[in-house]
């Protein structure tokens, strides 16, 4: 009996940590196209990353444009944030919806300022929006073969390692 009770308690505790959290928040800062600082209704500040997409780094082509678009769409606006876990560095991975119901990931993909991160997502809507932007040569897809940010970051890490 005691063993069963312990198993139930552990199950309840572990499920509490895996359930998505939903917050009403205000976007206080846009760090780059897919990284935000938010202030929750509980007056807590968090740095969060948009899940399922990756925008160009600021130093990359279209990185500044992705940041400007995210600022235009989100900065100082009230949003709904759903926390869907953390990445390997402990950053909160989130979905963000504007008060008008627009999904920020969809907007960034539609306008050609993000990649659908297929390593972490199989969302068919996001895949389709990226494909439409590629076909239409919209945003970063104006270039023949834009460098994805995860490759850019790896290249930067390798440059630093070689310079040592």
């Amino acid at each position: 009996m005691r063993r069963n009770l312990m198993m139930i308690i552990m199950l309840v505790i572990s499920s509490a940590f895996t359930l998505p959290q939903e917050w009403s928040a205000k976007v206080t800062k846009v760090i780059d196209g897919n990284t935000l600082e938010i202030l929750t209704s509980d007056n807590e500040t968090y740095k969060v990353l948009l899940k399922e997409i990756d925008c160009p780094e600021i130093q990359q082509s279209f990185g500044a444009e992705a940041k400007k678009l995210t600022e235009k769409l989100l900065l100082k606006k009230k949003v709904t944030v759903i926390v869907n876990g953390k990445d390997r560095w402990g950053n909160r991975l989130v979905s963000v919806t504007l008060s008008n119901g627009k999904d920020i990931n969809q907007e960034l993909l539609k306008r050609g300022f993000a990649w659908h991160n297929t390593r972490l997502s199989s969302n068919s809507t996001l895949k389709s929006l990226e494909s439409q932007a590629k076909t239409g040569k919209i945003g970063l897809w104006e270039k023949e073969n834009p460098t994805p940010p995860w490759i850019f970051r790896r290249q930067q890490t390798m440059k630093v390692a070689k310079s040592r």
Side-chain angles (χ1 to χ4, degrees):
M1 173 103 155
R2 183 173 180 191
R3 180 183 161 132
N4 289 344
L5 181 59
M6 289 300 289
M7 288 177 66
I8 291 169
I9 290 170
M10 289 179 70
L11 181 62
V12 168
I13 290 171
S14 67
S15 67
F17 290 110
T18 58
L19 291 174
Q21 293 176 296
E22 185 171 316
W23 297 327
S24 291
K26 182 177 182 179
V27 176
T28 56
K29 183 177 183 181
V30 174
I31 298 164
D32 63 25
N34 60 290
T35 309
L36 316 169
E37 191 173 278
I38 62 167
L39 179 66
T40 69
S41 56
D42 294 332
N43 223 22
E44 297 284 336
T45 300
Y46 296 102
K47 176 182 162 189
V48 298
L49 281 91
L50 299 175
K51 73 172 195 139
E52 299 183 301
I53 67 164
D54 206 351
C55 292
E57 295 296 323
I58 297 294
Q59 307 88 337
Q60 284 185 269
S61 296
F62 295 96
E65 292 88 340
K67 179 181 177 181
K68 283 181 188 173
L69 176 59
T70 303
E71 284 175 335
K72 179 181 174 186
L73 294 171
L74 296 179
L75 191 59
K76 298 186 181 182
K77 297 201 175 135
K78 292 192 180 210
V79 296
T80 300
V81 176
I82 299 175
V83 181
N84 292 296
K86 293 184 179 182
D87 65 11
R88 60 182 162 175
W89 297 279
N91 297 307
R92 287 172 177 81
L93 299 172
V94 302
S95 301
V96 175
T97 308
L98 294 158
S99 59
N100 64 7
K102 285 188 178 183
D103 178 289
I104 187 64
N105 288 359
Q106 291 180 15
E107 290 300 310
L108 287 163
L109 285 165
K110 195 183 304 182
R111 298 180 194 201
F113 290 109
W115 278 261
H116 173 219
N117 190 340
T118 56
R119 292 174 299 159
L120 302 174
S121 168
S122 58
N123 184 311
S124 60
T125 300
L126 299 181
K127 183 178 181 176
S128 175
L129 290 169
E130 179 186 78
S131 180
Q132 289 169 27
K134 277 184 188 178
T135 302
K137 298 188 183 300
I138 299 168
L140 62 89
W141 302 110
E142 290 175 4
K143 292 189 168 199
E144 183 87 18
N145 284 312
T147 302
W150 54 92
I151 292 175
F152 177 82
R153 289 188 293 267
R154 192 173 323 129
Q155 291 169 341
Q156 299 307 302
T157 302
M158 293 170 102
K159 283 182 188 178
V160 170
K162 284 184 180 181
S163 70
R164 289 183 180 181

